Amino acid sequence: MFEMTRNVLKNLMGKYSTRLYPFDTREPFERFRGTLDINVEECIFCSTCAKKCPSQCITVDVKNRTWTCDSFACVYCAVCVESCPTQCMSMYPVTKPAAGEKSLIFYQGAAKIKKPKAEKPA
Amino acid sequence: MRTILPFGPQHPVLPEPIHLKLVVEEEKVVEALPNLGYVHRGLEKLTDIRDYNQMVNIVERVCGICSCIHALNFCEAVEEMMKIEVPQRAHFLRVMWSEIHRIHSHLLWLGLFADGFGFESLFMQLWRIRERSMDLMEATAGNRVVISTNIVGGVRKDITEEQKTWILAEIDKIEAEVRQVEKTLLSDYTVKSRCCGKGVLTKEQAHQLGAVGPCLRGSGWAQDARMTGYAAYGQLDFEPVVEHDGDSYARCVVRFREVYTSCDLVRQALAKLPGGELAAKFKAKPEGEVWRRVEQPRGELFYYIKGNGSKFLERVRIRTPTFANIPPLLAMLPGCDLADVPVIVLSIDPCISCTER
């Protein structure tokens, strides 16, 4: 019956085992997958991420060069980050903040610079 | 006079919705009829539109507690079908993560069980210990529960030497802290009076009704899918935990002692962890039929997979341990007091989202 007494006393006298979240937050672990982002300047709009994504939350418009992610459908598995051929996507160890309404992560890439065609000899 | 009482789908002791129609005669349960289907999500059907690599992430979400082990089973089945040789290091890391998962699942259940018979402070204590195992997963794999480390061919994440030392230290702490509450949970008079002799499943009944996991081992059968030696279990020293009483208390003791076995298996796996590759490269497409079973915290998990040579599998059939444990539960309930129903229902560790997928 008294086995718990030691624990009870320790809990009463010791430090709090919980935090006053969100005022006091813990340092996140280095590998924690919290938020997804893309460096759109390096993106080649190959759609590999959109094809590999298990929750199909990424849409890549090759023609208009846009990259859209529904962060509320994303499951933070980091499959896209690993499969990206240019390594331009990354996961940050920051918890996604709570939101009042759904929003999309949208990026517009710069227009593709067309290679000048070799001029035909006249 | 007979009365039919609805138990669930919403009930304080049930974390997930299962509906039991209890036929009650003067506070004694005469018969129980289950009603399933409240959280059916159609995950097996998703195989039509998601390829086998994406399915790994989907089967992980069948169960919110033992996600890693679902992925392990699926990957092993696909690997067997495609004849992929998985690197040894991946096998040992898979064992490590599944055993950490087992520790967290059992501590979660032990806490819920304590809460089920009204021991709130013990529930808090056990969940506090569980938090250590969650940290282990978050630091090594990147997420607390759905860790997504298994892929077809191996694992995605590696552990460093510092992490290895830290994991071993944390496992020691978990074991020491669990040992501290052992007497409170297993020798307390009040706890025993709520669990001993409640919901007895005899050895014959357990076999005939096809009980699995701690439910089966609590009734005296030394049967554990880990004995088949999948992943790296064949190279580790392992003995299943067996109790002979077959009541709620025996099932509780089995789970409690399995936490120690899991701690031991993590230590063994890390001690024998070989170097080398994390995942094998392959080019084949899944073709043929394969079934595979592994041991989940709740019991034996069964996967049947059929491939047709394309990247989409033709059929994925999942039989979860709770599905197998519902018939034994219905055999345990008749004859018990109405007040004992929550404890008995909890004692099979019901995971309904698993069952209905």
Side-chain angles (χ1 to χ4, degrees), chain A residues 83-96:
Chain A
S83 60
C84 180
T86 59
Q87 299 290 306
C88 65
M89 298 172 86
S90 38
M91 280 274 174
Y92 296 102
V94 187
T95 317
K96 194 161 80 80

Side-chain angles (χ1 to χ4, degrees), chain A residues 1-8 10-11 14-18 26-34 48-57 74-82 95, chain B residues 49-51 53-55 57-58 61 97 119 121-122 125 128 131 134-136 138-144 146-148 151 156-160 163 166 177 180-181 183-184 187-188:
Chain A
M1 196 182 165
F2 297 103
E3 281 86 23
M4 275 290 265
T5 323
R6 211 180 108 199
N7 256 325
V8 171
K10 218 166 110 188
N11 290 348
K15 276 196 299 183
Y16 289 112
S17 54
T18 50
R26 187 169 75 157
E27 193 67 24
F29 289 105
E30 202 185 316
R31 290 190 183 179
F32 168 55
R33 301 191 292 264
T48 309
C49 50
K51 279 176 206 148
K52 295 255 178 181
C53 176
S55 70
Q56 315 249 294
C57 67
C74 177
V75 292
Y76 299 95
C77 60
V79 167
C80 50
V81 178
E82 281 169 24
T95 317
Chain B
I49 49 166
R50 300 280 195 272
D51 67 35
N53 283 319
Q54 293 172 328
M55 275 308 280
N57 290 79
I58 286 159
R61 281 154 179 86
W97 276 308
F119 203 156
S121 55
L122 185 60
Q125 202 69 39
R128 196 159 130 192
E131 209 55 34
M134 311 295 280
D135 281 354
L136 286 179
E138 194 175 348
T140 53
N143 253 342
R144 279 162 62 86
V146 188
I147 58 173
S148 309
I151 48 167
R156 284 166 66 191
K157 294 269 161 63
D158 200 3
I159 53 165
T160 58
Q163 275 177 334
W166 176 66
E177 283 174 12
Q180 269 182 13
V181 293
K183 268 192 176 171
T184 318
S187 331
D188 194 77

Side-chain angles (χ1 to χ4, degrees), chain B residues 54-314:
Chain B
Q54 293 172 328
M55 275 308 280
V56 180
N57 290 79
I58 286 159
V59 295
E60 271 205 309
R61 281 154 179 86
V62 168
C63 184
I65 305 298
C66 32
S67 59
C68 162
I69 303 170
H70 271 275
L72 168 85
N73 198 358
F74 180 84
C75 290
E76 288 219 327
V78 176
E79 281 151 10
E80 193 182 317
M81 202 190 267
M82 305 190 347
K83 299 186 180 57
I84 301 168
E85 190 83 13
V86 179
Q88 278 298 314
R89 190 176 176 86
H91 275 318
F92 278 87
L93 286 173
R94 280 175 176 183
V95 168
M96 184 198 82
W97 276 308
S98 353
E99 290 309 318
I100 296 176
H101 248 89
R102 199 178 312 275
I103 294 172
H104 115 76
S105 171
H106 279 343
L107 287 175
L108 175 126
W109 178 83
L110 287 164
L112 286 179
F113 194 56
D115 193 43
F117 51 67
F119 203 156
E120 194 91 9
S121 55
L122 185 60
F123 156 67
M124 301 272 184
Q125 202 69 39
L126 286 160
W127 277 42
R128 196 159 130 192
I129 307 170
R130 173 177 172 259
E131 209 55 34
R132 286 194 192 278
S133 59
M134 311 295 280
D135 281 354
L136 286 179
M137 286 189 280
E138 194 175 348
T140 53
N143 253 342
R144 279 162 62 86
V145 181
V146 188
I147 58 173
S148 309
T149 46
N150 291 311
I151 48 167
V152 177
V155 288
R156 284 166 66 191
K157 294 269 161 63
D158 200 3
I159 53 165
T160 58
E161 278 301 313
E162 297 95 74
Q163 275 177 334
K164 199 171 150 182
T165 334
W166 176 66
I167 293 170
L168 287 172
E170 285 289 295
I171 289 288
D172 286 344
K173 278 184 198 160
I174 291 175
E175 194 174 346
E177 283 174 12
V178 169
R179 229 171 259 286
Q180 269 182 13
V181 293
E182 180 173 349
K183 268 192 176 171
T184 318
L185 187 62
L186 301 184
S187 331
D188 194 77
Y189 169 76
T190 332
V191 175
K192 274 190 160 177
S193 63
R194 278 308 301 272
C195 309
C196 284
K198 302 283 170 9
V200 178
L201 187 73
T202 59
K203 195 169 178 180
E204 290 72 37
Q205 271 181 323
H207 187 253
Q208 280 164 6
L209 296 166
V212 292
C215 231
L216 182 67
R217 292 194 286 279
S219 296
W221 291 91
Q223 199 175 319
D224 191 312
R226 282 177 283 178
M227 286 155 79
T228 58
Y230 66 89
Y233 285 107
Q235 301 167 51
L236 303 174
D237 189 21
F238 168 71
E239 279 278 314
V241 179
V242 184
E243 285 290 320
H244 296 275
D245 295 343
D247 54 0
S248 303
Y249 181 74
R251 291 189 277 278
C252 177
V253 176
V254 168
R255 292 199 177 89
F256 204 91
R257 283 174 45 205
E258 275 190 7
V259 176
Y260 298 143
T261 343
S262 293
C263 290
D264 188 42
L265 280 169
V266 173
R267 281 193 208 105
Q268 284 187 45
L270 285 178
K272 289 186 181 172
L273 188 67
E277 288 277 296
L278 284 182
K281 290 195 171 67
F282 58 90
K283 271 197 167 164
K285 290 265 165 62
E287 192 165 12
E289 278 180 299
V290 147
W291 63 267
R292 192 125 188 125
R293 61 198 179 102
V294 301
E295 187 76 14
Q296 238 193 7
R298 289 169 185 79
E300 185 184 292
L301 170 71
F302 174 90
Y303 266 68
Y304 165 81
I305 290 175
K306 191 177 178 190
N308 51 9
S310 75
K311 63 176 182 175
F312 298 102
L313 296 167
E314 201 169 309

Side-chain angles (χ1 to χ4, degrees), chain A residues 6 17 32-33 42 50 59 64 72 80 90 102 106-107 116 120:
Chain A
R6 211 180 108 199
S17 54
F32 168 55
R33 301 191 292 264
E42 280 177 35
T59 330
N64 300 321
F72 291 88
C80 50
S90 38
K102 286 194 175 183
F106 177 79
Y107 281 106
K120 284 178 188 172

